[in-house]
Amino acid sequence: MRQSIYLAYKYISFHKTRSIVLIFSLSIIIYLPNGLKKLIIKSEAQMIKRAEATPLIIGAKGSSTDLVINTLYFQQEKTASITMEALAKLNTTGFGYAIPVLSMFSARNFPIVGTDLDYFNFRKLELLSGRWMSFVGECVIGSLVAEKLDIGVGDSLVSSPENFFDLAGVYPLKMNVVGVLEPAYSPDDQAVFVDIKTNWVIMGLGHGHEDLAQTNDPTIVLERESTEVKAGAKLYMYNTISRENMDNFHFHGDVSSYPLSSLIFVPNDHKSETILRGRYASGEFEEQVIVPADVVNNLLQRIFRIKQVFDTVFILVGVSTLLILGLIVALSVRLRKNEIYTMFAIGSSRGKVVEIIACELLILTGNSLFLAGILYSITGFFVEDFIQNIIL
Amino acid sequence: MLRILFKILFYNLQMARFYYALYIFLMISCVGREDKVQEASVKRPTVAVVNYPLYYFAKTIGGDFISVYLPAIEGDPAYWKPDTKQVINFQNAALILDNGAGYAKWMEKVSLPSSKIVNTSMSFKDQWIETDEGITHSHGPEGEHVHQGTAFTTWLNFKFALKQAASVHQALKNILPEHTDQINQNYNQLKNSLGDYDKRMEAIASALNGQLLIASHSVYQYLEQGYGLNLLSEHWEPDNMPTKEQWEAVEKVIRDHKVNIMIWEDAPIQEIESKLVDLEITIVVFRPCANRPETGDFMNIMNENLLHAERVINSF
């Protein structure tokens, strides 16, 4: 047997290219259905876990899927917004508490999520370094943001403008990084968290500029009357919020009319949740209430119907690969006719020849399995990317 | 042989007693320690407040079940600015009591958990008094705008103070459901006292009968609104002598409307007092008590305010 393995090994080493191609094609055929299955199961579990951990989402009427994806995964779909008044109303019901979420902007391709400190408690997020944001203009970044951008506490991050060609549009805001989150292995790792008010500043609802009452520069102040000052475009708007200029930042209009993408509502108990949902169903509130787990389950069911198609394809590809493998073996036996004859001539039995060929197949299959195993084991690391790029 | 056996037995009995005594001792000390650990772990929830009236309401209603956090503030807490450590203290509190009505503007610039914030004047939001802060200005595409503000010394109307106390009461019951009875009892006492003060203030307002009064500062909007007073607010500080123009303007008002009472946030300096006496103006000190008083408490200060006003009215 040892001699057969030795001869099989020598034969495979001699025909390196052919053997490598065979090992790779076999390992891919073994890996693909299993890896995809693992990816799907893990993604499904992760999506359901996050959805189930979020009791209720409240948002503007429209696509419930977009609303859930925006709230849970910060995918900045164009969803209609609700106002802060909805949050105040919900908090007075006494059924639980609402957490605001506003995800419309990004900073270096990572979503900026405007919320408040309740969000971190609710998701049980911990700090790896630094502190929670205390003032407007500060941000706490997810672990992947810190890793990929190579930034940490004390650094800054600039919000990306909505449209580079809109010169009169929203000014980018330079945010101070005050904390980095511990890895949570969820979309929170890829988010830049700011206070909701910071997000409103980015939107242009709040801004800071020098005090017009104190400015005498005629190129800034175009008109001045006793009760009215008109400033020109030269008026400098602060693009960073510091302790020095914070007093000059202000919000215009009624804050209760300011926008939110959605609200995460955490009810006190099941009874409170049921009563609240009933009140939404009766039309007492303008917004819609969503149970994220239901929406995600529905979404997954629709998406994973494709999995059945994949399974069929993989079975067919597998069968054809096995047939090709059989053909390769048959052809190689025919090609090795002289070699096999020599083996017979020097006294080898028919069984020994079969044994050597079987050993060759065994080595090829073993290596393919090993490679497929490696691929399978690293598949788990790509669950989040799979969810973000393929499912959502 | 028997003697040896007896000695061994006796020795073992002695040892057994020793071990038993040691066991009992250890058990007692462990139980004692456990109690101490339990005591230490029963921490009183912290209630953070933005001004002294809310501090007083929370402390009176919550008693020893809570610890109340009001940072040491110099001047008016409405214009105070916290540092990072103080913001973190607010963030870590179990409950944050906000006065509402635009009080404590610093809250607009910090990050606090909204589920913990209770706006104590929300129940009478429709009665907040709007004020214009600054001039109308325009810049950029958004057009003209003026920064609107709200009068915020809400507690000077005792009816509103009662509503704020009710809001504090409800919030404390929510975080301390196990102490509801005691909290209710404390609240009822406070409610009765504030109710009495409200009646006294009604009587004062009734005696004034719409007579024009001058207020040294525009902090009495809710007192004016709540009790139908007729106030003209100046921007005078008790420790700064007003300018000649300011005196002239006030003298004209006194002449035109026969005003004989001026309300002050604090006792003015001797120089001002003498000049007001010359103008036959009686000073009524009515302290808003937004910050911790040097002596006494909120109710003492309000009682002094009312007593002072009652004395002045009775003297006419």
Side-chain angles (χ1 to χ4, degrees):
Chain A
M1 184 66 180
R2 196 185 285 177
Q3 294 85 347
S4 303
I5 293 169
Y6 179 75
L7 285 172
Y9 169 70
K10 281 289 170 192
Y11 180 81
I12 286 166
S13 313
F14 187 75
H15 299 283
K16 265 185 197 141
T17 315
R18 201 188 70 177
S19 307
I20 288 169
V21 170
L22 267 173
I23 288 170
F24 268 99
S25 45
L26 259 178
S27 57
I28 285 167
I29 291 300
I30 297 165
Y31 163 72
L32 270 180
N34 293 300
L36 194 69
K37 198 175 170 184
K38 182 179 178 181
L39 214 51
I40 286 170
I41 289 170
K42 282 214 161 193
S43 309
E44 200 175 354
Q46 199 152 314
M47 283 185 78
I48 287 171
K49 190 179 157 196
R50 192 164 173 85
E52 281 178 346
T54 312
L56 294 174
I57 291 176
I58 285 141
K61 282 178 180 161
S63 165
S64 56
T65 311
D66 283 351
L67 194 62
V68 169
I69 286 169
N70 183 281
T71 311
L72 299 186
Y73 295 94
F74 317 129
Q75 292 279 318
Q76 294 164 343
E77 308 290 336
K78 287 276 175 201
T79 52
S81 55
I82 56 171
T83 63
M84 274 294 280
E85 203 182 348
L87 182 136
K89 260 189 189 176
L90 272 170
N91 280 345
T92 52
T93 59
F95 294 138
Y97 66 94
I99 304 168
V101 176
L102 179 57
S103 175
M104 287 172 78
F105 299 93
S106 60
R108 292 172 70 182
N109 293 326
F110 290 100
I112 296 173
V113 180
T115 185
D116 71 24
L117 296 177
D118 286 327
Y119 183 85
F120 304 109
N121 284 331
F122 168 68
R123 291 265 183 240
K124 296 183 175 64
L125 298 172
E126 297 287 341
L127 281 170
L128 185 70
S129 59
R131 59 170 171 82
W132 299 115
M133 58 249 187
S134 293
F135 293 94
V136 175
E138 294 178 343
C139 68
V140 169
I141 55 174
S143 57
L144 275 174
V145 179
E147 189 188 314
K148 286 186 183 170
L149 300 181
D150 193 23
I151 54 171
V153 175
D155 293 325
S156 56
L157 196 56
V158 181
S159 68
S160 309
E162 263 185 312
N163 184 348
F164 284 103
F165 302 105
D166 180 14
L167 296 177
V170 172
Y171 290 92
L173 180 75
K174 190 176 168 189
M175 300 168 289
N176 305 316
V177 180
V178 294
V180 177
L181 294 174
E182 266 185 13
Y185 308 103
S186 72
D188 299 322
D189 293 343
Q190 302 191 42
V192 176
F193 291 99
V194 295
D195 188 89
I196 193 90
K197 295 182 277 277
T198 308
N199 217 328
W200 290 333
V201 171
I202 297 171
M203 288 177 83
L205 293 169
H207 61 209
H209 55 77
E210 55 193 302
D211 188 355
L212 287 173
Q214 309 292 327
T215 310
N216 291 315
D217 185 347
T219 60
I220 294 175
V221 178
L222 303 178
E223 272 179 53
R224 185 189 294 276
E225 286 169 28
S226 60
T227 58
E228 196 176 317
V229 179
K230 197 167 271 180
K234 199 187 165 189
L235 178 69
Y236 178 71
M237 297 283 179
Y238 301 125
N239 65 351
T240 181
I241 307 174
S242 62
R243 297 306 300 273
E244 290 74 38
N245 67 16
M246 192 171 283
D247 287 346
N248 293 319
F249 269 84
H250 49 267
F251 295 97
H252 290 175
D254 183 8
V255 174
S256 65
S257 67
Y258 280 14
L260 296 173
S261 302
S262 58
L263 291 165
I264 293 173
F265 190 77
V266 187
N268 297 332
D269 47 40
H270 187 63
K271 191 181 165 193
S272 305
E273 183 185 327
T274 313
I275 297 171
L276 187 76
R277 286 175 66 189
R279 286 171 68 170
Y280 270 93
S282 68
E284 193 180 324
F285 294 90
E286 279 174 28
E287 301 81 19
Q288 64 168 328
V289 64
I290 295 165
V291 180
D294 293 350
V295 175
V296 168
N297 272 321
N298 203 4
L299 177 75
L300 291 174
Q301 270 173 18
R302 270 187 281 157
I303 288 171
F304 295 150
R305 258 178 232 146
I306 301 166
K307 185 179 160 268
Q308 291 166 351
V309 180
F310 275 129
D311 284 348
T312 317
V313 171
F314 287 133
I315 290 167
L316 290 174
V317 173
V319 169
S320 59
T321 310
L322 285 174
L323 288 173
I324 290 166
L325 192 72
L327 190 70
I328 291 167
V329 172
L331 284 173
S332 69
V333 167
R334 181 169 282 187
L335 277 171
R336 291 164 70 184
K337 203 172 148 188
N338 291 338
E339 183 193 332
I340 292 166
Y341 177 77
T342 310
M343 283 162 81
F344 283 136
I346 59 174
S348 173
S349 65
R350 184 177 285 269
K352 196 70 187 172
V353 173
V354 172
E355 192 179 283
I356 292 166
I357 293 169
C359 282
E360 282 170 18
L361 280 173
L362 213 67
I363 291 168
L364 288 173
T365 319
N367 278 299
S368 305
L369 278 170
F370 179 69
L371 192 61
I374 291 172
L375 290 173
Y376 185 79
S377 59
I378 61 169
T379 301
F381 296 113
F382 302 102
V383 173
E384 205 48 57
D385 287 333
F386 182 75
I387 294 172
Q388 296 279 350
N389 301 323
I390 308 292
I391 299 179
L392 300 178
Chain B
M1 184 66 180
L2 266 171
R3 241 169 81 181
I4 292 165
L5 273 172
F6 180 75
K7 262 187 180 174
I8 291 169
L9 189 67
F10 182 71
Y11 176 75
N12 280 343
L13 267 171
Q14 267 188 329
M15 285 310 286
R17 264 187 207 161
F18 171 73
Y19 284 130
Y20 183 69
L22 187 69
Y23 171 74
I24 295 290
F25 171 75
L26 284 174
M27 282 305 284
I28 289 167
S29 51
C30 280
V31 168
R33 186 171 292 175
E34 208 169 75
D35 281 351
K36 273 178 198 164
V37 169
Q38 253 181 353
E39 259 174 46
S41 67
V42 180
K43 243 180 115 182
R44 293 182 302 170
T46 301
V47 176
V49 296
V50 298
N51 61 19
Y52 178 69
L54 291 177
Y55 174 93
Y56 181 81
F57 295 162
K59 197 76 199 151
T60 307
I61 300 169
D64 290 335
F65 302 126
I66 55 167
S67 69
V68 187
Y69 174 68
L70 172 65
I73 297 169
E74 269 188 38
D76 191 343
Y79 302 106
W80 174 70
K81 283 177 227 160
D83 59 28
T84 308
K85 205 179 160 198
Q86 287 161 330
V87 174
I88 291 170
N89 287 341
F90 269 87
Q91 288 174 341
N92 292 337
L95 182 68
I96 301 166
L97 296 176
D98 178 19
N99 187 76
Y103 195 88
K105 283 251 185 284
W106 61 267
M107 287 181 87
E108 287 178 4
K109 314 267 173 75
V110 302
S111 194
L112 296 170
S114 55
S115 68
K116 291 180 183 173
I117 302 174
V118 172
N119 183 340
T120 55
S121 63
M122 194 46 105
S123 61
F124 53 92
K125 194 186 175 193
D126 54 334
Q127 292 173 75
W128 289 358
I129 300 168
E130 277 195 6
T131 56
D132 281 351
E133 286 182 355
I135 48 175
T136 307
H137 62 278
S138 66
H139 50 80
E142 60 193 292
E144 283 184 1
H145 56 268
V146 61
H147 297 162
Q148 291 265 311
T150 316
F152 47 66
T153 38
T154 49
W155 60 91
L156 291 184
N157 176 349
F158 293 107
K159 290 179 187 70
F160 288 168
L162 267 165
K163 287 185 178 181
Q164 288 188 273
S167 181
V168 173
H169 170 231
Q170 187 56 49
L172 289 178
K173 276 202 301 186
N174 289 345
I175 63 163
L176 295 163
E178 66 277 22
H179 301 299
T180 303
D181 291 344
Q182 187 59 50
I183 286 172
N184 285 344
Q185 203 179 320
N186 296 344
Y187 168 64
N188 286 333
Q189 280 173 7
L190 178 67
K191 198 168 95 173
N192 292 338
S193 308
L194 286 171
D196 289 344
Y197 285 12
D198 180 48
K199 279 177 196 150
R200 283 170 66 188
M201 192 59 223
E202 290 274 12
I204 292 166
S206 162
L208 285 167
N209 197 22
Q211 182 189 332
L212 182 69
L213 312 172
I214 300 174
S216 68
H217 224 277
S218 52
V219 289
Y220 300 106
Q221 298 93 333
Y222 290 97
L223 196 72
E224 184 184 8
Q225 179 207 49
Y227 300 98
L229 301 180
N230 188 9
L231 285 183
L232 178 78
S233 295
E234 293 296 330
H235 285 277
W236 289 14
E237 297 298 335
D239 48 358
N240 278 342
M241 188 62 176
T243 60
K244 196 182 160 201
E245 290 75 30
Q246 283 175 313
W247 277 113
E248 279 171 3
V250 161
E251 279 170 24
K252 189 175 181 305
V253 172
I254 293 168
R255 268 198 315 272
D256 293 352
H257 299 276
K258 293 190 176 98
V259 179
N260 50 16
I261 295 175
M262 185 164 181
I263 307 174
W264 282 83
E265 289 176 273
D266 209 342
I269 50 173
Q270 190 57 46
E271 219 178 339
I272 300 175
E273 198 179 340
S274 310
K275 193 152 185 181
L276 286 172
V277 170
D278 292 346
L279 291 167
E280 294 178 355
I281 292 287
T282 311
I283 291 167
V284 172
V285 176
F286 202 103
R287 292 184 174 91
C289 198
N291 206 350
R292 276 193 188 89
E294 280 171 21
T295 53
D297 60 27
F298 179 77
M299 294 310 264
N300 296 147
I301 301 293
M302 288 300 140
N303 187 37
E304 276 173 25
N305 290 341
L306 293 170
L307 279 173
H308 200 177
E310 283 160 351
R311 264 203 305 271
V312 168
I313 284 165
N314 291 336
S315 69
F316 285 116

